[in-house]
């Protein structure tokens, strides 16, 4: 589990919530390259492992972005879009973010700043 939004989102509002982060070593661009490379390499390794074991089913590789990272302007969205062939599915986190689907329902934006349907 890599918490990108807490450790590496220097440009966004999540920065500073990861005590283990040395800000002199990291930038958002480096973090995005790291995450993109990690995703690609994991897909390659998992596919090789599948072939070695003679398995017919593919190992699943997922990301679990916050709802705010599913907007088109988000750098993480762009990373996910570029890595779509390496990912099997996304598991959006629809809590504590910009949507409030439990309170507002799927198509409404009341207490949340956007509707869940728009993400």
């Amino acid at each position: 589990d890599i918490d990108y939004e807490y450790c590496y989102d220097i440009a966004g509002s999540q920065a500073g919530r990861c005590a283990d982060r040395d800000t002199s070593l990291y930038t958002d661009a480096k973090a995005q390259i790291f995450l993109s490379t990690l995703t690609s390499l994991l897909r390659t390794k998992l596919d090789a492992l599948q072939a070695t074991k003679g398995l017919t089913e593919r190992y699943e590789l997922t990301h679990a972005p916050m709802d705010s990272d599913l907007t088109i302007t988000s750098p993480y969205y762009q990373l996910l879009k570029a890595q779509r062939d390496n990912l099997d599915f996304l598991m959006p986190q629809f809590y504590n973010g910009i949507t409030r689907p439990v309170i507002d329902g799927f198509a409404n934006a009341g207490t949340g700043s956007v509707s869940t349907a728009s993400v």
Side-chain angles (χ1 to χ4, degrees):
D1 181 22
I2 298 174
D3 288 326
Y4 166 82
E5 70 271 14
Y6 293 125
C7 292
Y8 303 112
D9 183 18
I10 295 167
S13 62
Q14 300 291 339
R17 293 189 180 179
C18 181
D20 297 332
R21 180 176 57 112
D22 180 351
T23 55
S24 66
L25 300 175
Y26 297 104
T27 64
D28 279 354
K30 287 180 184 178
Q32 291 160 14
I33 291 167
F34 166 76
L35 193 55
S36 182
T37 302
L38 178 65
T39 301
S40 296
L41 291 175
L42 276 172
R43 172 49 58 210
T44 300
K45 295 276 187 182
L46 290 172
D47 288 349
L49 181 62
Q50 174 194 354
T52 300
K53 292 188 170 218
L55 302 174
T56 57
E57 292 191 28
R58 185 179 185 190
Y59 284 100
E60 293 177 342
L61 183 57
T62 70
H63 277 236
M66 294 294 294
D67 56 356
S68 58
D69 289 318
L70 295 176
T71 59
I72 292 174
T73 58
S74 164
Y76 190 26
Y77 174 88
Q78 297 304 319
L79 184 149
L80 293 170
K81 185 177 175 183
Q83 288 293 325
R84 66 185 174 270
D85 291 338
N86 290 322
L87 297 169
D88 294 293
F89 57 91
L90 298 178
M91 300 183 308
Q93 300 177 53
F94 289 111
Y95 59 90
N96 297 331
I98 59 173
T99 62
R100 295 289 188 260
V102 172
I103 298 169
D104 298 338
F106 187 73
N108 302 314
T111 58
S113 58
V114 300
S115 75
T116 304
S118 70
V119 200

